[in-house]
Amino acid sequence: MVGLATVFGAGGGTSSYREIEDTDVIVLWGSNARVAHPIFFHHILTGIRNGAKLFVVDPRRTSSARWADRWLGLQVGTDIALAHAIGREIIAAGLHNRAFVEGSTTGFDEYRAAVEQWTLERAEAVTGVPADAIRELAHAFATADRAQMCWTLGITEHHNGVDNVLSLINLNLLCGHVGRYGAGINPLRGQNNVQGGGDMGAIPNKLPGFQDLLDDDARQKFEISWGCTIAPRHGWHLTEMFEAMDRKEMRALYVIGENPAQSEADSTHAIQILEGLEHMVVQDIFLTKTAKLADVVLPATAAWCESEGTVTNSERRVQRCRKAIDAPAGTRDDTDILIELARRLGHEWHYPDVESIWNELRSLSPMHAGMSYARLVDLGGIQWPCPSNDTLEPPFLHGRLWAQDPRDRGRLAPLSAVAWEGPVDLLSNDFPIRLTTGRRLDSYNTGVQSSAIASPMRDGETLDINPDDAMRLGIEEGERVRITSRRGSIEAPARFDLDLRPGLAFMTFHFPDEVDVNVLTIEANDPKSGTAEFKASAIRIEKLNGAVGAVGAVGAVDVAVDVAVPVAGD
Ligand SMILES: Nc1nc2c(c(=O)[nH]1)N[C@H]1C(S)=C(S)[C@@H](COP(=O)(O)OP(=O)(O)OC[C@H]3O[C@@H](n4cnc5c(=O)[nH]c(N)nc54)[C@H](O)[C@@H]3O)O[C@H]1N2
Ligand SMILES: Nc1nc2c(c(=O)[nH]1)N[C@H]1C(S)=C(S)[C@@H](COP(=O)(O)OP(=O)(O)OC[C@H]3O[C@@H](n4cnc5c(=O)[nH]c(N)nc54)[C@H](O)[C@@H]3O)O[C@H]1N2
Ligand SMILES: [Mo]
């Protein structure tokens, strides 16, 4: 979101799902949508059926990659090198959209200078992706009438995640693939309402509707409505909060719907920090590991099935969410808990129902003004912005960049001359294997919501490695091994996976009670977004009986160059 906000002023995906079905080229970059966004992936499949080409850029040959015309299996953390090589090739072949670049963007000369060094050959050496495959993606993307760039955590969960995002947005700007029907830039959001949370102001620098906390007029509007004063300063994001707690500058924490004791990187350190707090409150629908460390636990109802409200998805569509079942006795709606808390702090909030909360938002956030509950139901959801009660905006954002009259184009979109940097946690003789972490289809995040009920689909955590590495280490399939990083050490059974290149290992964070992968991950994070480098830790793998395997030479892991082969759908 930070990258998009930097370029366009608004932190939201620019397209609608139906445009994914109506486009010529789809690039899925650092996203395993078939597993993590299966509904969105159905729109991709419809797009493919309608003739779109799919490119997948991922170090692992994921189940999403199996549907691709071309999989580009790059080395972890080399995305900017690859994106710059694509940009350079597009410019060198004269395929960029000159009129759009000149009329609607800024910074082209600096960008061209930054990508100049990224020849196809150099990019192949750094990323491991063959020059031919890079050229093919560059030409397909640039010559397509409409193209969609979609990404998720493979891009953002790095210490330079925002620069990664900017390097992808550059490619869309270069080719004019934004602000038009069928062409766009789409970060897929993680949880069902993470977009809505941000839109409502649950980010440290914005009021609801992305209105800046430092904007005096915006603040005053909210102060009058709420009858209070709002400090004119940006708050801390999660990572900054942990740093402040570590410095003892922040001494109390109120956690709603998050399990940081198991989801934070370097969890041994994170738990120490939480234990050092003077006071912690956890409001959750389960008694999580974090809740067990809390002084007060507030049992909440589940927003998605036990409460009324709205959710907002990755295409910025606000939808009504209905109560389907009664909540267990003793729990209360999240909003009820907050209203009660305000009352005990001396503030009477008058909201007879959630619709009245929503209507207050509509009166304060222009982009939601036209979304009455009645209209949300009639239209099956509405995308923001929706400033008016009787009209709808186009399904895509930033059409202004194509205005005939340059004066109507508003703020032009800057190209970003970002530089490539590799992961912080360096590979070495002691830590020769790159560990990347992520998700499986059958489980959800820290497992709180998916592990409560046993499922034959879930067979617990494994360390996934390429069989060549296992052979060098003398490890059998299913054998428990020790996995050690510069932060700590855990044990897990090994699972062989041919979709991983040698030198690359994969684990999830779905079973932290048995195998806590975040003991291993590095807490290095991107200062611009606060996102941790979950996708790139350095580890070693050892047999439990103490025998040392033959892996160790860094060279063995660095030279692995994958061949991007066209593959059929699964
Ligand atoms: N089934 C299921 N679905 C989920 C979730 C879940 O836990 N389970 N969680 C939800 C949440 S909160 C989120 S945020 C989303 C996340 O959705 P995704 O981001 O799609 O999920 P991940 O598996 O974390 O990571 C995506 C891919 O990034 C790749 N990757 C790793 N390092 C790199 C790199 O350096 N470069 C590139 N290009 N790729 C890299 C990994 O191999 C992985 O396939 O999923 C949501 N959906
Ligand atoms: N190693 C590694 N670590 C990661 C990641 C990774 O890829 N690798 N991904 C990161 C990402 S993208 C994310 S989003 C985080 C996720 O990290 P968390 O958000 O900490 O993990 P969840 O398990 O989704 O926890 C959500 C909590 O919200 C509670 N909850 C659900 N619905 C409600 C509700 O309606 N009301 C209330 N009050 N509570 C509710 C659930 O019970 C659960 O305890 O993990 C991060 N950590
Ligand atoms: Mo997420």
Side-chain angles (χ1 to χ4, degrees), residues 32 36 58 60 77 79 152-153 439-441 443 445 535:
N32 189 8
D58 197 301
R60 301 184 303 139
D79 299 272
T152 47
L153 304 181
R439 286 152 177 82
R440 296 191 215 282
L441 180 64
S443 295
N445 289 358
K535 294 292 181 257

Side-chain angles (χ1 to χ4, degrees), residues 153 157 191 256-260 262-264 283-286 288 300-304 334 437-439 444-449 508-509 517-518 521 534-535:
L153 304 181
E157 282 186 348
Q191 288 118 328
I256 307 182
E258 177 130 349
N259 183 19
Q262 298 188 306
S263 58
E264 283 289 290
Q283 180 171 322
D284 203 292
I285 60 173
F286 288 99
T288 60
T301 60
W304 71 274
D334 284 303
T437 63
R439 286 152 177 82
Y444 193 73
N445 289 358
T446 65
V448 176
Q449 291 170 95
T508 79
F509 63 125
V517 77
N518 278 330
T521 48
F534 288 116
K535 294 292 181 257

Side-chain angles (χ1 to χ4, degrees), residues 440-444 447 449-461 510-511 514:
R440 296 191 215 282
L441 180 64
D442 45 53
S443 295
Y444 193 73
Q449 291 170 95
S450 53
S451 302
I453 296 163
S455 157
M457 281 168 75
R458 280 190 299 271
D459 51 3
E461 188 58 88
H510 295 320
F511 302 91
E514 293 103 62

